[in-house]
Every structure is written in C-alpha cells, then in structure tokens.
Amino acid sequence: MQMDGMSIGVDERRTGDKSRGYGIRLIAAIAFVQILFWGLALLIRPPVIDPAFEQNRLTDILVVETDGKRSRIEGRPNYYLGQGRVTRFVAHPLIEQPEQGLVVFVPRYNRWASLWVNGQAIPMADSPAWRAGRLGGKWVVPPGLLKPGRNSIAVEVRRECCRAFLVSIIAAPPGAIDIAIRQWRLQSLFPSVGLMVVGLFGAASCLMAAARSPYRQEAYAAALAFAGMALGGLWQVDILTPSSEPIYGAAGQMTMLATFAGLVALADRWFPGGPRYDRALITCSAIFAFINLAAALTTDGMPLAIRNLNELLVVLFANIAILSCVVRGVRVEGRALIPDAAVVMLIPAISIADLIGSLRISALSLNIAPLGILALAVLLLVGIVRRARMLSRRLEHANALLDARIASKEAELEATAALLRQREAEAAVQGERSRIMRDLHDGLGSQLMSIMLSARVGIAEPAVVAEGLQAVIDEMRLMVDSMDSVGESLSAALATFKARVQPRIESTGIAFDWQEDAAIATLSNFGPRDVLQIFRVLQEAVTNALKHAECSRIAVNAVVSDHRLVLQIEDDGKGITTRGQAGRGLTNMRLRAASVQGEVMVEPGKDGTGTRITLTLPLRLAQAAE
C-alpha cells in the first residue's frame, strides 16, 4: 500500500510539472505573439493625433442650430448635432499671410458637408461623397477669398446617422498639412478595405473547403467569422451607409455579432473537447439579433447607453467562451496547441482595444481594431492552412500504418497459403497412396487371387497362368512408371512407356514406329493418376493389337492440337472382327479416359485396313495437376 501511494504521488508530481511546463510555454508564446502584433500595428498605424493636425486645430468653434442658437463645443463630440437635420459650425481664425492660400480639413463620420469662407461656398477638393465619411473632407481655399486678420470659416454638416458629428476643424497653409492628410487617409481606409477583401476571400475559401472536408463544422464557423469581418469592413468604409440612422447602427451591431459568433464557434471546434457552447451561442446570438432588429425598426434607433452595453456584453461573453476553449484545448493536447492558443488569444486583446476605442472616439486618432482584425483574419487563414497540413501529415502517417498493416496481413496470408499448399500436397500424397493401395487390392490382388485359386484346384493351364502373371507384371510396371514420372515432362513419361513396350512388340517380329510432336516436351506436371490412366489406355491398345490384329506394324503418334493432347495407336492388321474381347477392351479404355476428362475414338486405319485408336485429353489436366 505504501508503494502504491508513493507511485501515485510521483505521477501527480510529474503531471503537475508537465502542466507547469505547458503553462510557461503558453505564456511565453502568447507574450511573443502579442508583442510582435502590437509592435507592428503601432508602427504601421499609431493611435495618436498627428502633430500637424494638433498644431493647426481651430479653437472657439461655435455650433449654430437651425433656430439660430449658438453653443460652444466642449468635451466629447455630440453624436446627434442637435434636433435638426443640418448643423453649422463657425470659427474665426487669424490669418497673417493670406497670399499662401488655405487648406481646410474636417475629419468627420458622415458623408455630406459643405464649406463657406467669408460667405463664399468652396467646392470639396478631392474626396468623393461615398468615401468622405471615412476619409474626411478637404477644401483648398484660394488666396483671393482670404484677407489679413480674422476670417469667417463655416462648415455645414448634414445629419445622417449616429456617426454624423464634427469634432474639429483644421486650417493651415498648403504643404505639411497635405502630407499629414494623405497619411491619415491611407491609415484610415487601408485596414477597412483590406478587412473587407480578406474577409470575402476567407469566407469563400472556407465554404469551398467545407464541401468535402472532415473539418466541415470548423470551416462553416470560420466562414461565418470571415463574413462578419467582410461586412464590418464594408460598414466601416461607409459603402453600406443607409439614410436611416437606426438601420445603420443595427447593421454595425449585426456585423459585430456575426464576427464574434463565428469566432466563438470556430474556437469551440478548433480546440479538442468541443463543441460545448452551441446551445448558449445560438441563444445569446438570437437575443442580441432580436434587440438589434427591434432597434432598427424604431424612429430614433438604439439609445447610446444600451448600444454601449450591448457591445460590452457581446465582447465579454465571446471572450469568456474563447478563453475557456483555449484552456480546455491546452489541457487536453498540451504542447501541440500552444501556437494555436497564442494566435487565438489575439481575439480578446483586439476586441478590448476596439471596445475602448468605441467608448472614447476621436475623429483624428486612429483606432487599432480594424488593423488588428485584419491581421487576425490573416492569422486565421494561416492557422487553417496549418491545420490542413497537420491533417495531411496525419493522413500520410495513417496511410503508412495502413500499408504496414496490409503488408503484415499479406505476409500472414502468404504464410497461411503456403501452409495450405503444404497440407494440400500432403493430402494429395495421402490420396495417391490410398489410390495405389486400392489399385493393388482391387486390381493386382484380385488377379493374383484368381490365378492362385485356379492353381489350387488343378485347373490352371500353364499358358493361362503365364498370361495372367504377365498381365500382373505389366500392371505393376505401369504403376511404378507412373509414380516415377511425377515432376517430369509428359515426353519423359511417354519415353518410359516406349522403353517398356518396344522390346515386347519387336520380340514378336512386329515393326514399331514412334512419332512425337516437339510441343509434347513443354507439357509437364501431369499427376501420377493421369499418367497411369494414359499408360493403361496405351497398354490396352497395344495388347489388343498384339493379340487380335495379326498385324505387321504398330505406330504411336503423339501431338498437341487445339489445346488438346492427341495420342494415336494404329496397326495394319485385319481390324476389329471379333466383338467380344475387343468390345470389353474398348469399354475399359473409354472408362479410363473418362476418368481423366478424356475420350477414346476407334476407327479404321488410313488405307481402310487395320485399326486406329485415338486418345484425346484436354491440356487443363496439366494445369489442374500444378
């Protein structure tokens, strides 16, 4: 019991050390990614007001409402610009060198504005109406409209939506202010347009990849997140700005909701142990979507306090869910998911920065969130590619294991097949042995028994006994020759038969002719049973010719024709004139040929004299024997 307690304690300490090691690596990876991202982001898009803007900002701006009431702008910008549709901002800057001309720049969040200088209308310089809400309005005032001393500059802004406000008016001579405006516009527009393009590309790519992918759910979740990002980019560059303030505000809330819903669903499926938050995600998304749609149908839209609370809750719930997914995944797989966790942890950091920026808006300060979401979209694409590569490597590893298992199974099957072949060979040998025993018992044994009984009762004539013993000897020779021919070619087996019968035929004064086709030499592996039946048919034909044909010549011809083995035994005798013995011999030959799938045909010789016996065998006998 003490040993068990000690081993459990050691295991617990090892697990704790491993967890602490993973925690340190995770913290280091998160710190590295955060420092790298925020360093590059702040370098590309510093969230501070350009000094050229700050030095040339007009002060003492008065707001003139439609009823003529004047008030001074102080503190946070007024989103709603009073109760009227148009609000006029008036300032009186001191211009010491009017001959240089003047550039007036108004960073604003609506699309319609106009400028009057000393009572003269000035056309907007270079900002199309659909982009002016994001890029600000720029006017170039010619020197002829200016005068030394105080000049009247009035900017009239038309209210369209909750972002229609004016926070400052910048007026300076041409030169440095133009460079500052171009840089500010580039930093303002590029992240939003890039976010739109990357979001559309990412959503389309994920939808196409989801068609035949084992990560279909992850791909759909990523597509939703990318679609929300793309719509957010469209919303930020004011391409989709409607004329109704409630609809515009609801559209912005819906893009944020779609983005965070997709990110939560993706994180919940990306890390092992999930998904766990589907029901809560669907419920919360439905509630927030209902609130946004209801606000879009009202006259004045969602109140500012409720809108801020709505954004705060969405960001808070999404970040809690994403953090829990990261912690769960690292606990399950540990080191393998540390890079993924470090990248995903950018989501809470960027969303909190975006939330802080939305709570303290300045038209001149640049919010880091669009650039951050753009970077996050790129990192998600990289993560998806990395996950695809991991899947590919796992599939390759699985294929390698499968190939190894197949090779192992093939080796086992080959060993089993070899064992089966060995057992089949043993069974064939045993069957052949049993057949030989039956032949010895039924054939030779019965013949010898008959001769012995005849000798005992004294009725056996010497010639009959000699003939019977000769038949027994011939049968034994046939059996021995068939066994000796195993593994040899058919030509060798026939040569053995020829060597047996040729002296017997020639001793009677009968000529013997043997013809053999060259193709016979290619036939091999006839089984002993097949060879024995061939020998018996040939032996029966030769014996009948010697006994009954009264011939002077016996010819044997062996050929291969049409995938068949043809053996012909022909004599020049008197033919079959006695039906008794010849009939029994022919029946025996046909039965023996049929036992090896062959057939026997008896016909007259070539010149109409003598007898020709043809044995035809299919060549598949050799294949079956193999």
Side-chain angles (χ1 to χ4, degrees), residues 82-106:
Q83 299 297 321
R85 295 286 299 176
V86 178
T87 303
R88 192 178 183 89
F89 298 84
V90 180
H92 297 83
L94 177 63
I95 300 177
E96 296 179 353
Q97 297 177 340
E99 66 276 4
Q100 295 181 357
L102 190 68
V103 173
V104 179
F105 180 67
V106 177

Side-chain angles (χ1 to χ4, degrees), residues 45-371:
R45 191 178 187 187
V48 295
I49 299 175
D50 192 288
F53 290 155
E54 190 66 30
Q55 293 172 4
N56 296 283
R57 183 199 301 265
L58 298 184
T59 59
D60 299 328
I61 299 177
L62 299 177
V63 179
V64 181
E65 309 246 357
T66 54
D67 57 357
K69 181 180 179 181
R70 295 176 176 241
S71 60
R72 190 178 302 277
I73 293 180
E74 294 179 357
R76 185 188 178 97
N78 184 2
Y79 275 86
Y80 296 100
L81 302 174
Q83 299 297 321
R85 295 286 299 176
V86 178
T87 303
R88 192 178 183 89
F89 298 84
V90 180
H92 297 83
L94 177 63
I95 300 177
E96 296 179 353
Q97 297 177 340
E99 66 276 4
Q100 295 181 357
L102 190 68
V103 173
V104 179
F105 180 67
V106 177
R108 57 189 174 78
Y109 283 84
N110 74 305
R111 296 189 296 173
W112 305 105
S114 56
L115 175 70
W116 281 264
V117 176
N118 296 325
Q120 296 291 326
I122 307 297
M124 189 174 290
D126 57 0
S127 294
W130 68 269
R131 293 189 304 173
R134 175 57 57 181
L135 301 181
K138 176 184 176 183
W139 294 267
V140 178
V141 183
L145 298 180
L146 300 174
K147 61 183 180 179
R150 297 287 177 179
N151 289 259
S152 174
I153 295 179
V155 177
E156 191 174 272
V157 178
R158 183 190 305 176
R159 173 186 175 188
E160 289 184 3
C161 62
C162 58
R163 290 181 182 264
F165 68 92
L166 184 144
V167 67
S168 62
I169 301 175
I170 300 168
I177 192 65
D178 293 320
I179 299 175
I181 292 173
R182 285 196 299 269
Q183 185 176 1
W184 185 88
R185 284 178 169 175
L186 181 62
Q187 293 174 340
S188 298
L189 184 62
F190 175 74
S192 300
V193 175
L195 178 63
M196 177 182 63
V197 174
V198 174
L200 291 175
F201 174 76
S205 301
C206 291
L207 290 177
M208 289 188 295
R212 296 180 180 179
S213 172
Y215 293 108
R216 182 175 301 175
Q217 294 183 352
E218 290 88 339
Y220 284 139
L224 177 61
F226 283 128
M229 294 177 187
L231 294 176
L234 290 172
W235 185 78
Q236 289 177 6
V237 298
D238 291 342
I239 293 179
L240 300 181
T241 304
S243 59
S244 172
E245 176 182 336
I247 294 178
Y248 182 83
Q253 295 284 321
M254 291 298 291
T255 59
M256 180 190 66
L257 180 61
T259 301
F260 278 104
L263 291 174
V264 171
L266 178 62
D268 199 18
R269 287 159 175 80
W270 191 283
F271 295 95
R276 293 185 179 179
Y277 304 115
D278 279 357
R279 184 174 300 177
L281 180 61
I282 293 173
T283 302
C284 293
S285 299
I287 293 174
F288 286 116
F290 176 78
I291 294 173
N292 291 329
L293 293 176
L297 300 177
T298 62
T299 304
D300 297 328
M302 186 181 297
L304 181 59
I306 297 179
R307 183 175 64 83
N308 291 337
L309 179 61
N310 189 30
E311 291 182 0
L312 179 62
L313 292 177
V314 170
V315 172
L316 179 62
F317 291 163
N319 286 333
I320 291 175
I322 291 172
L323 286 173
S324 63
C325 293
V326 170
V327 173
R328 181 189 69 203
V330 173
R331 285 180 178 177
V332 173
E333 291 196 9
R335 183 174 58 185
L337 288 177
I338 288 178
D340 303 66
V343 172
V344 172
M345 287 302 294
L346 282 174
I347 298 175
I350 295 172
S351 61
I352 292 174
D354 188 22
L355 182 63
I356 295 174
S358 65
L359 294 178
R360 51 181 306 272
I361 293 177
S362 174
L364 291 174
S365 63
L366 299 175
N367 191 357
I368 203 70
L371 182 62

Side-chain angles (χ1 to χ4, degrees), residues 373-601:
I373 298 176
L374 174 61
L376 180 61
V378 176
L379 290 174
L380 284 177
L381 284 176
V382 174
I384 291 174
V385 172
R386 177 176 172 271
R387 181 59 62 91
R389 292 181 60 186
M390 290 176 58
L391 175 62
S392 177
R393 287 195 296 268
R394 290 179 181 178
L395 289 177
E396 291 177 358
H397 181 64
N399 289 334
L401 291 178
L402 182 60
D403 291 340
R405 292 182 180 178
I406 291 176
S408 177
K409 292 298 181 181
E410 288 179 350
E412 292 180 3
L413 291 175
E414 183 63 29
T416 303
L419 181 60
L420 289 176
R421 287 194 296 269
Q422 180 182 358
R423 291 181 178 178
E424 289 176 356
E426 293 175 355
V429 172
Q430 186 64 32
E432 191 64 24
R433 186 177 299 169
S434 300
R435 182 189 63 78
I436 293 173
M437 294 300 296
R438 288 196 303 270
D439 289 343
L440 290 174
H441 180 272
D442 298 339
L444 299 181
S446 60
Q447 292 182 20
L448 291 175
M449 181 62 70
S450 176
I451 294 173
M452 184 185 68
L453 291 176
S454 299
R456 282 182 177 179
V457 297
I459 61 174
E461 298 180 1
V464 175
V465 173
E467 183 179 357
L469 291 176
Q470 184 63 46
V472 170
I473 292 172
D474 292 340
E475 180 68 18
M476 290 184 64
R477 285 176 177 175
L478 289 178
M479 296 176 63
V480 172
D481 290 342
S482 66
M483 294 300 297
D484 289 342
S485 66
V486 175
E488 297 180 351
S489 65
L490 182 61
S491 179
L494 293 177
T496 301
F497 178 79
K498 174 185 176 183
R500 294 288 188 185
V501 300
Q502 185 172 1
R504 179 182 174 189
I505 295 174
E506 292 178 346
S507 65
T508 61
I510 299 176
F512 182 65
D513 185 18
W514 184 280
Q515 299 292 331
E516 183 177 318
D517 190 358
I520 299 296
T522 62
L523 304 180
S524 62
N525 292 332
F526 277 79
R529 179 173 175 271
D530 304 326
V531 174
L532 179 60
Q533 298 304 325
I534 293 173
F535 284 178
R536 283 175 173 173
V537 172
L538 295 178
Q539 179 72 38
E540 185 71 25
V542 170
T543 301
N544 284 340
L546 291 174
K547 287 183 177 181
H548 309 293
E550 299 179 4
C551 61
S552 61
R553 176 179 172 274
I554 296 177
V556 178
N557 187 22
V559 297
V560 175
S561 177
D562 295 332
H563 303 287
R564 300 176 73 84
L565 173 65
V566 180
L567 298 172
Q568 290 182 347
I569 303 95
E570 185 177 357
D571 62 69
D572 59 353
K574 62 182 181 178
I576 301 178
T577 56
T578 306
R579 303 302 301 171
Q581 293 179 352
R584 288 195 299 273
L586 180 60
T587 301
N588 291 336
M589 285 189 288
R590 286 175 174 168
L591 290 176
R592 287 164 180 167
S595 67
V596 290
Q597 303 178 5
E599 59 181 0
V600 172
M601 182 174 62

